[in-house]
Amino acid sequence: MMNSISKKCIASFAALLLSSFTFAVETGGLISNDTKLSNIEKEGSLKIDQKNAVNLWLRAPINEDGTSYFITEGLFQTDYDDAVPESDQKLKLTLDLSLFKLVLHKELDSGSVNFSAGRFFNSDLSGIIYTQNGDGAKLEAKISRINISAFAAFTGLLNAKTTTILTEPTPANSSPVLTDKSKEIYVTADKYLVSALTFSLPHIIASQTISLEGFGAFSFESTTFNRIYVTAALNGPIVAPVFYNISSTFSFTKYDESDMKTGNLTKGAITVYPNFKSMAISLNGLYASGKQGSFERFVAFTSGTAVTSTKETEYSSLLKAGLSASIKPVRTLILRAGGDLVFDAAESINYAGIQCSAGFNWQALSDVSLGASFSQYIGKEDYEESIGASKTQIKINAAIAF
């Protein structure tokens, strides 16, 4: 029975793909260079991490207006990391299918429906918990004044060298362990089924948007680390041109036979958009619980750097607040700068350090972009084990599209 269903699905997909070639097929690519200089120890010298990559993509519309289409993208990357102590492991090669997606779009009298299937990027409502690729499907419907989306995917076929999944509740001072074999170009990631259901009421009252989301990640490994996240978000204008957004997530995690643990991630920002050179000024804050009251450490699903210290701290057991700004003095140039006060929240809330950054992106030509950034974290010695030590980081990137 399953073989018959599988054959019908494959035949239907092949028919859709073949029909797409009756319309104009677009192809292209990107050659990129990313250079990072940073110290991995408090008093250490700057070490180079050099990445060079080639991305090739193809997009084939399957209807006349291009709203339904097939798109795919592949990546080959070399990464030389001088911070790796073993000389034979400094150079890593990676081959990845970063995108392979079929999108079907249908207009309705009262809205529209989008269906996506394959390998594609997706993000949760917080923009922190799940921000990565997955192999699965997503259904999005905009009907009347309600937006609904349902998403499900499998992670076990992804390349672990391009996606880091937090696979166990390690202490706050530990870095995530990335399954990595330097001599192999493709290493499969840990096996999880992830799913999400999201409801949104855009501009429901006084241009305010309310959103709710349930997200789950369920392990297929022998050592299980299952996670459920429930998020509520609210955003909109306060008084134009001042806008805000706030979200709060409650996490419910269970590691093997241990008891269920509850954590919290709350983040918010107030942003002002002066009518001058596309300027934006934002005051923002974030709290990821440690052991406060009934809360335990908050743990996300996708690895993400919350503090640019030597630990590259995850979004866990910390509080930070800061100010950021961006401006486009000319159409092709974006300047940005920001800083955060960082607090350790493993148990009590204690000042741990300060971080600041500045950078730019310049679209030199229509197919050439350049960028650079500088960041500095200055940390207190008392929290070097939990948040990390002081770190200087310089990044330079360039890309040519064709």
Side-chain angles (χ1 to χ4, degrees):
M1 178 68 175
M2 287 302 295
N3 286 339
S4 175
I5 294 174
S6 298
K7 288 178 181 179
K8 289 180 180 178
C9 290
I10 293 171
S12 298
F13 178 77
L16 283 170
L17 186 58
L18 288 173
S19 69
S20 71
F21 289 97
T22 62
F23 303 102
V25 175
E26 301 175 4
T27 60
L30 186 73
I31 300 174
S32 61
N33 172 74
D34 294 283
T35 302
K36 180 174 73 173
L37 295 166
S38 61
N39 58 300
I40 61 171
E41 298 175 349
K42 181 179 179 181
E43 304 296 339
S45 60
L46 300 183
K47 301 288 187 180
I48 189 170
D49 184 357
Q50 176 74 45
K51 291 183 175 70
N52 295 284
V54 177
N55 295 68
L56 299 175
W57 59 269
L58 177 149
R59 187 181 190 278
I62 56 178
N63 63 356
E64 291 185 5
D65 60 9
T67 54
S68 297
Y69 57 91
F70 168 76
I71 187 169
T72 184
E73 180 178 318
L75 163 73
F76 176 71
Q77 177 179 278
T78 65
D79 182 0
Y80 177 83
D81 189 354
D82 194 36
V84 177
E86 296 82 5
S87 59
D88 63 337
Q89 295 183 10
K90 290 180 181 291
L91 179 63
K92 301 175 184 178
L93 305 178
T94 302
L95 183 67
D96 197 15
L97 181 64
S98 51
L99 180 63
F100 190 85
K101 180 171 71 169
L102 174 69
V103 177
L104 301 176
H105 176 83
K106 177 68 174 178
E107 287 291 335
L108 305 174
D109 292 338
S110 58
S112 63
V113 175
N114 259 39
F115 174 75
S116 304
R119 173 172 295 182
F120 54 92
F121 179 88
N122 198 55
S123 180
D124 77 294
L125 200 57
S126 74
I128 289 176
I129 298 165
Y130 179 91
T131 56
Q132 65 173 69
N133 277 345
D135 295 319
K138 184 176 185 179
L139 181 64
E140 302 169 276
K142 297 181 179 181
I143 302 173
S144 188
R145 302 192 66 176
I146 301 176
N147 295 348
I148 304 171
S149 71
F151 166 74
F154 178 65
T155 66
L157 299 177
L158 300 174
N159 192 341
K161 299 178 77 171
T162 58
T163 300
T164 305
I165 296 171
L166 301 177
T167 57
E168 57 183 276
T170 53
N173 63 338
S174 297
S175 299
V177 177
L178 171 62
T179 303
D180 193 11
K181 300 177 182 178
S182 60
K183 300 301 180 183
E184 298 184 18
I185 61 176
Y186 202 105
V187 181
T188 54
D190 294 283
K191 300 177 179 63
Y192 280 84
L193 172 66
V194 296
S195 60
L197 184 62
T198 308
F199 295 89
S200 181
L201 299 172
H203 310 294
I204 186 66
I205 301 173
S207 297
Q208 309 299 304
T209 297
I210 301 171
S211 301
L212 296 172
E213 181 176 74
F215 180 89
F218 308 99
S219 174
F220 288 167
E221 306 287 349
S222 57
T223 301
T224 60
F225 184 25
N226 295 328
R227 285 158 274 188
I228 295 174
Y229 306 89
V230 179
T231 303
L234 185 64
N235 65 79
I238 299 175
V239 176
V242 182
F243 294 78
Y244 78 98
N245 66 75
I246 186 170
S247 68
S248 188
T249 301
F250 290 91
S251 65
F252 306 91
T253 62
K254 194 174 190 307
Y255 183 71
D256 269 358
E257 301 303 318
S258 64
D259 295 334
M260 182 79 74
K261 295 182 178 180
T262 304
N264 178 256
L265 172 72
T266 297
K267 58 190 287 281
I270 296 175
T271 305
V272 182
Y273 297 96
N275 188 19
F276 177 75
K277 301 291 185 181
S278 301
M279 180 183 285
I281 303 171
S282 181
L283 177 66
N284 51 77
L286 180 143
Y287 165 73
S289 66
K291 293 184 178 180
Q292 285 87 42
S294 60
F295 290 143
E296 296 288 336
R297 275 194 344 103
F298 179 85
V299 181
F301 183 82
T302 307
S303 175
T305 300
V307 182
T308 56
S309 64
T310 54
K311 292 286 185 181
E312 296 191 339
T313 310
E314 297 288 330
Y315 289 92
S316 181
S317 302
L318 68 89
L319 171 70
K320 68 175 184 177
L323 187 67
S324 62
S326 65
I327 189 172
K328 294 179 68 175
V330 294
R331 184 177 56 85
T332 58
L333 179 65
I334 299 176
L335 305 178
R336 61 186 184 279
D340 296 287
L341 296 175
V342 179
F343 300 83
D344 176 89
E347 294 184 359
S348 57
I349 308 296
N350 298 291
Y351 172 73
I354 185 172
Q355 64 181 6
C356 58
S357 64
F360 74 88
N361 286 98
W362 178 36
Q363 194 70 39
L365 299 170
S366 60
D367 53 2
V368 177
S369 62
L370 302 170
S373 65
F374 170 83
S375 66
Q376 178 69 57
Y377 175 71
I378 303 172
K380 292 184 65 176
E381 290 185 3
D382 294 348
Y383 301 100
E384 289 181 1
E385 291 299 317
S386 57
I387 300 296
S390 299
K391 180 179 180 178
T392 302
Q393 184 168 275
I394 301 169
K395 289 184 178 181
I396 302 170
N397 57 74
I400 300 175
F402 59 91

